[in-house]
Amino acid sequence: MSKLSFLPAHVLSEKVRKGELSFSDITTEVIAQLEAKDKSINAYISRRLEAALEEAKSLDESLAKGEDLPSLAGIPLAVKDNICTRGFLTTCASKILYNFVPPYNATVVEKIKKEKMIIIGKTNMDEFAMGSSTENSYFGTTHNPWDYQRVPGGSSGGSTAAVAAGEAIMALGSDTGGSIRQPASFCSVTGLKPTYGRVSRYGLVAFASSLDQIGPIARDVQDAYLLLKIIGGYDPCDSTSLPLPLPEEQLTGKVKGKILGLPKEYLSEGIDPKVKEIVEKAIKVWEEMGCVIKEITLPHTKYSVATYYIVAPCEASSNLARYDGVQYGFRNPEYTITGQNPVIDMMEETRDQGFGSEVKRRIMLGTFTLSHGYFEAYYLKAQKVRTLIKEDFEKAFQSCDFIVTPVSPTPPFKIGEKVSDPLKMYLSDIFTIPVNLAGLPAISIPGGFTEQNLPVGVQIIGKPLDEYGILNLGFAFQEATDFHKRTPHGN
Amino acid sequence: MEIEPVIGLEIHTELSTQSKMFCSCSTRFGSSPNTQVCPVCLGLPGVLPVVNEEAVRIGIKTCLALNCKINKYTRFDRKNYYYPDLPKNYQISQQYIPIGVDGWVEFEVGEEVKRVRIHNIHLEEDAGKNVHEEGKNFSLVDLNRAGIPLLEIVTYPDMHSMEEVNSFMNELRNILIYIGASNCKMEEGHLRFEANVSVRRKGDEELGPKVEMKNLNSFRSVLQALEYEIERQGARLRRGEPIYQETRLWNEEKGESFTMRFKEEAQDYRYFPEPDIPPLEIGKTWIEEIKATLPELPLKKKKRFIEEYGLSKKEAGILVEEKEISCFFEEVVKICPQPRLVVNWIMGPLMRELNERGLTIGESKLTATKLARLLEMVKENLITQTNAKYCLHEIFDSGEEPERIVEKRGWKQVTDVEEIEKMVREAIQKNPRAVEDINKGKKTAFGFLIGQVMKLSQGKANPGKVREILERELGKC
Amino acid sequence: MKSNILSEKDIEKVGKLSRLKLTPEEKELYLKQLSSILEFMEQLKELNTEEVLPTFYPLDLKSVWRKDCVTSSLSQEEALDNAPAKERGYFKVPRIIE
C-alpha cells in the first residue's frame, strides 16, 4: 500500500471518517516526508509544521466530539508563495518581498481556512511567477522529485513538486501562461487552470492581471474538482470574478460521443517525439471509449508567444511598480546619493537589487512597449491579436467539445539548460499560453512517462466555464490508466 | 505691445463620498496619519480595486451640470509614474474614454456672460501626502488621502484675464457645491488647480508655447501664479526672448514659480486600460434618473431671483453665492412674502450673526419659519426694528420661538392710540422747556420729546404712531 | 541583420522609467536580450488587425461596483508593520526633493 502522503484527499477523508486514520496521522506523515525530502527538493520557502500538527490534533478532537467537519477538513495543503496569508510570510520568491508579512488573507485562503484545511507552508516558485522552471527564485531552485537534476517546471514548481513528493496532499498554484499546467506535467500531478474569473484573484500577488488565475494542484482529478469547488466562486473584492455558481455534477467518466479536437498546429515540428507519442496514445484511450477525434485548426497559435510576451510584461511592469522600498519589503539601506533626489536613488537601487534578472527583463520589456510612441505597435497590436487567438478557439469549439494538446513540447529539462536564453524558455510556453490569452479553462493530467521515467502531461482545454467537462474527460482517462498513481522512485 | 494671455485650467476636486474610490476606507479629513488605510489603498501586493458607485454617480451629475456629453461606455486606465505618496506607483485614472467630454460653463464677468468650454471630465484617485520637515534628511508619508475619489475637470484655454479666471473658478465652485459633488473646502484641499498659460500679441491667432503651472491650492495662488507667469512671459515676448514649453512649480511662500521640467523631459505615463476593473456602461435610465436630481444652478437662480422677487443684481448675487442662503431665502419668502424685507434682513443682521458666530445657517438654531415669523411681526409693526434685532440674536442663542421671546421680554410694540396719547401727554407735561423750544422752531427738541415718549413706553411704542400723535398734541398747545 | 529596434539610449530611458539603477553589464545584457525578443515580436506585423477590436478584458463583465459604505480600516500599527522605516505614525523615506 502507498504511504499515506501519496493518497489523494478524497481517499484520506473517507478513511478518517471510517476511523481508519486520524488527521494527525496524515499531517504527521506529510511532515515526515517533507523533512526527509525537502532538503533535496526545496519545494517550500516557509513552513508551519508545528502549527499544522496542532490544527490536525484539534480537528481530531472535534471529530471525536461528533462535530460535523467540511469534506476537506484536515487535509494538508501547500500554498504558492504569491498568495497572501495573514501574519505569515509571503515573498513571491523575491528578495524585494523577503520579509513581507501580509495583514490580510487572500480570498482563497479565507475559503481554505473556512474549510478547515491545514496549510503546511508556502511553496517555491519563479520570482513573481515569471518563469517556467522555478529556477528564478531568490530562495534557490526547486528540484523535480522524479529527477533531481531536472526542473519541476514553473512557475508553480514548488507546489507541484510538493504534491508529487508527498510533502503535501494538495496545493494551490497560479497560472498566467501555463504556470500550473506545465509544472503539473513535469511532476506528474493534476493541475487545473480555471476559466478567468472563476477563482478570486484578491490576494494573489499580481503578475499579469488579465491572465492570472489561481487553481488547484492535486493527485487526481477528483481532488482537483473538490478543491476548485472550495476556492472558486464570486468574490465582491475582485471586480473581475464571475457572479456564477460553480459546477456541481458528479464525475462519471461517461464521455462517449464527445468530440475531441486536435489542433494540427500543436503536433507539428518542434515537439519532442516522445511527448507526441504520449499525447497520441492518450487520444487512443479516449477514442476507445467512444470519443470522436477530429482535426481542428487554431491558425494564430504561432503568434501567441509574441502576443503573450507583450501583454504580460506590460501589465507586470505596472503591477510591480509598487515595490520601491517605501512601504514594505526590501529597502537597500546603502543607496548612493547621486545628487538628484535621495528618495529616487533609494528606489532605483532597491529595485535593481531587489528583483532578479528575469523580473527586471520583463519590467523593462513592458515599460518599453508601453512607452510613448510604442503603445499602438505593441500593446494595442497584441491585444488585437489576442482577439484573433480567442476567436480561433470560439470557431474551433463550434465543432468540438474539448481540445486535446501537449502541455509542454518537452519532458522536464535539466536545471540550467535554458536559463541563458530567455527567448528559448518563452517558446516552450507555446501550448499553454493561448489558453490564458483566451481566458479558457484547461487541465494537465498525468499522461505517461518517457523511457527515462520522466513525466509527460496531457492538456485538455474546455469551453468557457466547462471545468466540469475537462475534469470529467480527465477522470475517464484516469479510470483507464494508472499514471496518476505512480510515485517518484525512492519513496 | 498689448499682450493677451491664453489660460486653461485643470481642476481637481475631491468628491463628497463617505468611502474612498476603490475601497471602503473613510474619506474623513484630519485623522492621525495612516489610520484611514487598508490593504487596497495602501497598494499592498495582491489587492484589487472595486469602484465606488456613488463616485460614478457624482461624476455623471457633474458632467450633466457642466453640459458634457456622457460616454455611455467608459473605463479606467492606469497612469504610471513613481512617487512616494502614490502607493501603487500608478494612479487609476481615465485617459482614453473619460466619463464626460465637450461641455461648458457659463459665468458672469461684470455685465457680460462668458463661456468656458470643458474638454473632459474624468474620475481618478487621490494620492497621499508627503511631509517635509525643515532641515531633516528624510520625508514622511501619510496615506490617509490616498484613494479618495477625485474628479478632474479640464477646460479649454478659453480665459484671457484674471477676472475671467476668478469668476470662472467661483462659478465652478458654486456649481460643485450646488449639486453636492464636493464640499469644496479649500482648507481641506477639496479643490486644487493646475493652470496652463501662454501669451501672444493681442490680435494674433496663433498660440504661444504653453507653460503648465502646478501646485496651485487656492484661488489666491492660481491668480498670483498666473499674474506672475503672464508678467514673466509678457516681458520675454516684449524683449523678443524665447518662451519655452515647460512645467513650472508655484512656490506660495516665495511668490515665484520655478522650472520643474522642460518639454523634452516630459513625463511618460505609459497609460493602458486598467485590467482589474471591467468597463462601465452608463445606461440612459441612470442618466435620466440623475438628471432629475439636478438642482437649479446658481446663474439661473440668480436670474430668477431678479425677475421673480425684484431683487437687484447685487442682492441676487449675494444670496446665490451660497446655496444654503439662497434656499433659506426662498423658504422665508414662502411664509413671509416680503422679499425686500427678507433680503435686507438676511444680508444685514442675519449674515452678521453668522459671521460673528462662525456658523452656517444649517449649523445655527435659526430656522426659516422662525425668521419668517419674526419678520411678520416687524411688518405688522408689532415689534420695533431694534428689538427685532435683539430677538434675532436671542433666537441664535437659544433657538426659542420669536413670539415667546417677544412676550417674555415685553417687546410687544404699543400701537394702541389711547395708550400712546397718555404717554405723549405725560412727556409734554414733564418737559415744558422742550415744548417752548419747539414753539421757538428748534427741531431737535421734537426728537427729544419722541425719545422721552419711547422711554416711557420702554421702547415698545410704535415710533411712527408716537410722531403722529405728538405732532397732533403739540398742535393743540 | 536589423538590430536597430533598441538603442543604448532606449535602455537608458527604460531603466529610468522602470526606476532601475542598472549596472553597465546589465545594460549591455538587456540591450542584447530585449533586442532579440523585440525582433521576435516583429512577426505580429504580418497580421492585418485594422478591423479587429482589442481584448483588453478577457470577460464580458460591465459596471461592477460597490455601495458607498465605510468599513473599518487597518490600525496604524498594522499599516506600518512592514515599513522599512517609520516615524510618528508615518512611513519614513529619504528626503523627497519636490
Side-chain angles (χ1 to χ4, degrees):
Chain A
M1 196 194 95
S2 312
K3 283 190 197 170
L4 291 185
S5 60
F6 286 95
L7 290 175
H10 59 93
V11 173
L12 291 169
S13 291
E14 208 185 299
K15 286 184 183 289
V16 172
R17 299 306 189 282
K18 280 187 191 155
E20 293 170 23
L21 279 178
S22 71
F23 289 124
S24 309
D25 293 339
I26 303 169
T27 298
T28 305
E29 186 67 33
V30 165
I31 291 172
Q33 189 71 10
L34 190 156
E35 282 175 337
K37 293 282 165 192
D38 211 47
K39 277 194 196 73
S40 317
I41 293 174
N42 194 30
Y44 285 90
I45 289 174
S46 44
R47 306 156 177 82
R48 52 190 298 283
L49 306 182
E50 274 172 42
L53 205 52
E54 283 305 311
E55 286 170 21
K57 279 180 191 156
S58 140
L59 285 170
D60 281 328
E61 282 162 26
S62 301
L63 199 65
K65 276 186 242 158
E67 276 176 38
D68 230 8
L69 292 174
S71 61
L72 287 183
I75 297 299
L77 174 92
V79 176
K80 189 176 179 180
D81 210 22
N82 60 351
I83 296 172
C84 285
T85 42
R86 183 172 55 227
F88 196 71
L89 210 57
T90 301
T91 71
C92 284
S94 181
K95 181 178 176 184
I96 214 152
L97 285 177
Y98 78 106
N99 59 355
F100 177 64
V101 178
Y104 78 105
N105 274 330
T107 298
V108 291
V109 172
E110 285 292 330
K111 291 185 172 193
I112 289 297
K113 297 225 162 199
K114 213 173 141 208
E115 184 72 13
K116 298 194 187 320
M117 296 184 76
I118 296 174
I119 297 176
I120 295 291
K122 304 291 290 287
T123 53
N124 204 2
M125 53 187 278
D126 286 297
E127 185 181 0
F128 285 102
M130 296 178 187
S132 317
S133 64
T134 316
E135 290 168 292
N136 304 328
S137 167
Y138 178 61
F139 301 96
T141 302
T142 297
H143 297 257
N144 192 318
W146 296 85
D147 179 346
Y148 291 166
Q149 307 301 311
R150 290 175 191 269
V151 303
S155 65
S156 311
S159 284
T160 56
V163 174
E167 298 180 26
I169 304 300
M170 301 173 132
L172 292 181
S174 70
D175 191 318
T176 307
S179 281
I180 287 176
R181 291 159 288 156
Q182 184 255 24
S185 166
F186 279 18
C187 293
S188 199
V189 295
T190 301
L192 173 69
K193 181 211 106 67
T195 309
Y196 184 84
R198 260 298 190 212
V199 179
S200 168
R201 292 187 292 120
Y202 187 75
L204 168 67
V205 181
F207 159 16
S209 315
S210 76
L211 301 160
D212 293 342
Q213 190 63 190
I214 293 175
I217 291 163
R219 290 206 187 298
D220 61 19
V221 164
Q222 297 95 306
D223 272 12
Y225 194 24
L226 286 170
L227 191 49
L228 172 71
K229 285 193 272 195
I230 288 159
I231 61 173
Y234 174 68
D235 176 15
C237 294
D238 177 359
S239 303
T240 64
S241 89
L242 286 161
L244 297 171
L246 290 157
E248 279 173 20
E249 296 144 276
Q250 294 286 319
L251 296 174
T252 59
K254 283 185 198 151
V255 294
K256 197 176 167 190
K258 294 286 178 197
I259 304 169
L260 310 191
L262 302 186
K264 61 180 182 195
E265 294 82 4
Y266 280 53
L267 287 169
S268 56
E269 79 258 49
I271 174 172
D272 185 287
K274 189 64 198 175
V275 171
K276 191 174 175 186
E277 189 192 312
I278 286 171
V279 175
E280 280 165 350
K281 265 193 195 159
I283 290 162
K284 280 263 151 44
V285 172
W286 281 309
E287 200 171 13
E288 278 160 24
M289 294 173 180
C291 289
V292 180
I293 312 299
K294 198 182 160 200
E295 191 184 81
I296 57 157
T297 175
L298 299 168
H300 295 94
T301 300
K302 74 166 192 168
Y303 301 105
S304 59
V305 175
T307 302
Y308 176 87
Y309 280 97
I310 292 170
V311 174
C314 281
E315 293 181 2
S317 70
S318 173
N319 284 330
L320 272 63
R322 71 191 67 191
Y323 308 108
D324 60 4
V326 171
Q327 271 192 65
Y328 43 78
F330 170 71
R331 174 188 289 186
N332 177 19
E334 284 151 3
Y335 58 91
T336 358
I337 297 177
T338 59
Q340 39 162 338
N341 201 339
V343 76
I344 294 179
D345 289 321
M346 182 280 281
M347 285 179 173
E348 285 184 341
E349 289 204 24
T350 292
R351 288 169 62 78
D352 191 49
Q353 292 177 23
F355 291 130
S357 62
E358 181 59 29
V359 173
K360 283 191 267 187
R361 191 153 42 238
R362 295 200 197 184
I363 288 174
M364 296 198 45
L365 185 57
T367 302
F368 175 75
T369 49
L370 279 177
S371 67
H372 189 71
Y374 295 103
F375 177 82
E376 291 192 7
Y378 290 104
Y379 190 72
L380 188 61
K381 179 83 184 182
Q383 295 288 34
K384 287 177 167 190
V385 178
R386 184 178 186 178
T387 303
L388 299 176
I389 292 166
K390 208 176 163 194
E391 286 170 356
D392 277 357
F393 281 107
E394 281 161 16
K395 273 177 218 146
F397 277 125
Q398 284 170 6
S399 64
C400 67
D401 298 304
F402 306 104
I403 295 171
V404 177
T405 77
V407 180
S408 167
T410 65
F413 47 87
K414 288 241 167 78
I415 290 170
E417 194 180 315
K418 291 187 185 177
V419 277
S420 58
D421 188 348
L423 191 54
K424 198 168 161 196
M425 188 81 97
Y426 298 171
L427 284 166
S428 70
D429 300 336
I430 177 94
F431 300 138
T432 46
I433 276 174
V435 169
N436 297 77
L437 290 170
L440 301 172
I443 193 169
S444 169
I445 53 169
F449 292 85
T450 66
E451 292 86 350
Q452 294 161 284
N453 202 36
L454 295 176
V456 173
V458 174
Q459 174 170 246
I460 310 165
I461 305 168
K463 295 175 185 172
L465 305 174
D466 194 21
E467 282 85 1
Y468 170 78
I470 57 177
L471 285 160
N472 200 38
L473 189 69
F475 183 61
F477 182 80
Q478 210 181 265
E479 292 288 272
T481 57
D482 74 341
F483 303 122
H484 63 287
K485 288 187 177 158
R486 296 197 196 168
T487 55
H489 51 81
N491 289 299
Chain B
M1 167 188 352
E2 202 179 338
I3 303 277
E4 182 189 50
V6 180
I7 303 160
L9 289 176
E10 285 174 24
I11 302 96
H12 292 87
T13 173
E14 267 190 16
L15 301 184
S16 59
T17 55
Q18 298 297 307
S19 66
K20 291 187 178 180
M21 185 71 218
F22 299 115
C23 68
S24 300
C25 284
S26 168
T27 55
R28 202 177 44 225
F29 180 81
S31 304
S32 307
N34 298 305
T35 52
Q36 271 156 225
V37 291
C38 73
V40 176
C41 56
L42 286 175
L44 294 189
V47 297
L48 297 169
V50 184
V51 174
N52 183 341
E53 183 186 10
E54 179 65 10
V56 180
R57 202 186 63 80
I58 293 175
I60 296 169
K61 200 170 179 184
T62 309
C63 289
L64 291 170
L66 304 186
N67 309 294
C68 285
K69 277 185 225 134
I70 290 165
N71 277 316
K72 306 276 182 296
Y73 172 99
T74 178
R75 65 163 198 243
F76 290 95
D77 302 297
R78 289 190 187 174
K79 180 179 184 178
N80 295 285
Y81 67 97
Y82 286 82
Y83 216 68
D85 62 8
L86 188 64
K88 304 185 291 293
N89 284 326
Y90 62 80
Q91 180 194 33
I92 304 177
S93 180
Q94 297 192 293
Q95 169 72 5
Y96 296 107
I97 314 174
I99 189 158
V101 292
D102 294 337
W104 44 265
V105 179
E106 269 183 353
F107 55 98
E108 289 176 325
V109 184
E111 292 302 304
E112 265 182 287
V113 173
K114 292 258 178 188
R115 181 181 276 204
V116 164
R117 290 168 302 150
I118 304 291
H119 181 274
N120 79 79
I121 296 181
H122 59 265
L123 283 162
E124 56 188 29
E125 55 178 340
D126 209 344
K129 265 184 193 154
N130 296 327
V131 180
H132 317 288
E133 287 166 355
E134 204 60 50
K136 299 277 172 62
N137 65 350
F138 58 82
S139 297
L140 301 171
V141 184
D142 171 16
L143 296 173
N144 282 346
R145 201 179 67 181
I148 288 182
L150 285 182
L151 205 58
E152 182 172 337
I153 301 165
V154 183
T155 78
Y156 279 93
D158 285 352
M159 285 163 275
H160 302 284
S161 71
M162 291 302 117
E163 295 74 46
E164 283 179 23
V165 172
N166 191 28
S167 305
F168 167 77
M169 289 193 297
N170 271 304
E171 189 67 28
L172 184 68
R173 176 181 171 274
N174 249 343
I175 292 173
L176 293 172
I177 294 174
Y178 264 66
I179 64 174
S182 172
N183 299 322
C184 292
K185 289 187 187 161
M186 306 298 291
E187 65 281 9
E188 295 185 12
H190 290 171
L191 276 185
R192 306 194 292 273
F193 302 86
E194 284 171 29
N196 55 75
V197 56
S198 61
V199 298
R200 63 183 172 194
R201 236 180 275 260
K202 199 167 176 122
D204 278 3
E205 277 292 311
E206 210 176 313
L207 291 171
K210 188 171 78 174
V211 172
E212 283 181 57
M213 313 278 297
K214 285 188 185 284
N215 194 32
L216 310 175
N217 295 328
S218 66
F219 284 17
R220 207 183 53 153
S221 45
V222 172
L223 296 172
Q224 285 180 349
L226 282 173
E227 215 152 331
Y228 175 89
E229 185 56 22
I230 293 165
E231 187 59 41
R232 190 187 70 84
Q233 289 186 28
R236 294 187 76 92
L237 191 65
R238 282 194 192 92
R239 291 198 297 265
E241 290 168 1
I243 296 165
Y244 300 105
Q245 188 169 337
E246 60 177 317
T247 303
R248 297 177 73 88
L249 203 62
W250 174 247
N251 185 316
E252 182 88 54
E253 286 118 60
K254 294 194 177 137
E256 290 172 38
S257 68
F258 300 92
T259 298
M260 201 173 145
R261 58 173 175 262
F262 289 103
K263 188 197 170 195
E264 305 77 68
E265 313 157 31
Q267 288 274 61
D268 188 341
Y269 291 121
R270 289 158 285 137
Y271 288 103
F272 73 102
E274 167 57 276
D276 289 330
I277 305 174
L280 308 181
E281 226 168 33
I282 315 275
K284 242 200 175 117
T285 14
W286 203 28
I287 296 176
E288 288 307 316
E289 229 176 272
I290 295 170
K291 209 180 244 168
T293 67
L294 266 188
E296 184 181 25
L297 297 181
L299 196 60
K300 213 170 152 203
K301 195 176 220 173
K302 187 174 165 186
K303 276 187 201 146
R304 184 169 62 80
F305 275 15
I306 294 169
E307 284 162 20
E308 199 173 321
Y309 301 115
L311 304 185
S312 73
K313 225 175 151 177
K314 195 179 161 204
E315 287 166 341
I318 291 175
L319 290 184
V320 165
E321 184 73 28
E322 270 179 64
K323 185 189 183 186
E324 203 186 10
I325 300 264
S326 69
C327 293
F328 187 80
F329 165 77
E330 287 208 283
E331 274 179 71
V332 177
V333 170
K334 231 181 255 166
I335 309 167
C336 173
Q338 302 284 319
R340 293 232 53 85
L341 180 68
V342 176
V343 75
N344 285 335
W345 271 76
I346 289 181
M347 285 168 53
L350 189 148
M351 285 196 173
R352 215 161 20 245
E353 290 284 348
L354 289 177
N355 283 341
E356 276 164 18
R357 292 164 194 262
L359 293 175
T360 65
I361 288 200
E363 292 161 353
S364 80
K365 289 175 175 161
L366 182 70
T367 63
T369 326
K370 282 175 191 158
L371 181 63
R373 293 209 316 254
L374 177 63
L375 295 186
E376 276 294 325
M377 285 191 271
V378 172
K379 190 191 87 188
E380 296 296 326
N381 281 329
L382 294 174
I383 179 172
T384 62
Q385 290 269 349
T386 315
N387 280 342
K389 281 175 197 164
Y390 290 140
C391 183
L392 182 71
H393 187 81
E394 282 200 34
I395 299 174
F396 270 101
D397 281 342
S398 66
E400 240 183 307
E401 301 297 325
E403 290 84 355
R404 252 194 73 80
I405 296 172
V406 169
E407 178 78 45
K408 206 166 65 184
R409 300 278 175 207
W411 284 337
K412 192 138 191 209
Q413 194 160 225
V414 179
T415 43
D416 183 77
V417 177
E418 270 175 42
E419 214 172 312
I420 296 178
E421 275 174 359
K422 237 167 83 188
M423 287 186 285
V424 167
R425 281 187 208 121
E426 194 183 332
I428 290 175
Q429 222 170 31
K430 279 188 180 163
N431 298 285
R433 286 265 323 253
V435 179
E436 247 173 67
D437 285 348
I438 292 166
N439 288 336
K440 282 181 197 156
K442 255 194 179 177
K443 285 205 169 138
T444 45
F446 189 75
F448 171 78
L449 269 187
I450 289 184
Q452 291 306 303
V453 179
M454 292 307 287
K455 210 168 162 188
L456 285 168
S457 78
Q458 289 166 311
K460 288 183 284 184
N462 179 302
K465 283 259 158 63
V466 171
R467 171 178 289 270
E468 191 189 307
I469 292 167
L470 186 64
E471 271 172 1
R472 205 175 64 209
E473 289 296 314
L474 283 173
K476 285 182 187 167
C477 293
Chain C
M1 286 300 282
K2 40 162 189 159
S3 203
N4 43 10
I5 296 182
L6 211 58
S7 66
E8 273 165 51
K9 228 179 120 192
D10 287 326
I11 289 287
E12 196 80 39
K13 184 187 141 192
V14 170
K16 275 262 169 272
L17 276 178
S18 315
R19 280 275 194 278
L20 291 168
K21 192 172 276 178
L22 302 173
T23 62
E25 297 76 40
E26 280 181 310
K27 283 180 197 164
E28 202 189 312
L29 179 73
Y30 290 139
L31 177 60
K32 208 181 86 204
Q33 291 179 333
L34 294 188
S35 295
S36 78
I37 294 165
L38 288 168
E39 255 166 55
F40 171 74
M41 310 281 183
E42 292 289 292
Q43 58 171 289
L44 295 189
K45 287 189 180 158
E46 294 164 15
L47 293 168
N48 180 354
T49 51
E50 233 164 86
E51 306 285 309
V52 183
L53 291 172
T55 299
F56 292 131
Y57 309 94
L59 298 174
D60 212 17
L61 295 170
K62 297 259 163 60
S63 304
V64 181
W65 43 48
R66 45 168 255 276
K67 292 270 168 248
D68 182 25
C69 293
V70 175
T71 58
S72 62
S73 299
L74 293 174
S75 69
Q76 192 185 62
E77 197 191 340
E78 285 172 306
L80 297 170
D81 204 28
N82 279 290
K86 53 193 159 188
E87 189 166 312
R88 285 168 282 149
Y90 293 92
F91 295 97
K92 188 177 171 186
V93 296
R95 184 78 181 179
I96 303 165
I97 313 285
E98 297 265 7

